[in-house]
Amino acid sequence: MTATAGDEMVCIELVELVTDYFEGALSEHDRLRFEQHIAACGPCTRYVEQLRMTVELSGRLDEGDLDPAMRAVLLDAFRGWRTPSN
Ligand SMILES: [Zn+2]
């Protein structure tokens, strides 16, 4: 579990919360942070869109539906996407 000092969601946090997002299990606060993040982050937008298609096709989203390879590639891309602020 990653706690961020600020209010801004980071990519890794988004990836970890994405199943809760599709299940409607996020708090209002986290849902807003999630949506603010994907509004500003291209890789996460594509990730969420891909999962949304999975949900629409299967009617659900299980952890098992997440492609580990894709997730790894994304997380790798995220590392290069932002330079650490500290
Ligand atoms: Zn992101």
Side-chain angles (χ1 to χ4, degrees), residues 27-84:
S27 68
E28 179 76 4
H29 180 69
D30 281 342
R31 190 177 60 78
L32 288 172
R33 290 171 66 232
F34 189 102
E35 289 177 349
Q36 281 169 3
H37 183 95
I38 56 177
C41 183
C44 284
T45 301
R46 286 192 289 278
Y47 184 61
V48 170
E49 284 305 309
Q50 186 143 351
L51 291 177
R52 193 188 303 278
M53 280 190 282
T54 302
V55 171
E56 285 175 0
L57 286 173
S58 67
R60 63 186 172 76
L61 181 68
D62 292 333
E63 288 289 341
D65 292 329
L66 303 179
D67 182 345
M70 180 190 165
R71 189 159 162 159
V73 166
L74 260 172
L75 289 176
D76 206 46
F78 291 156
R79 277 186 212 105
W81 184 258
R82 289 185 177 209
T83 49

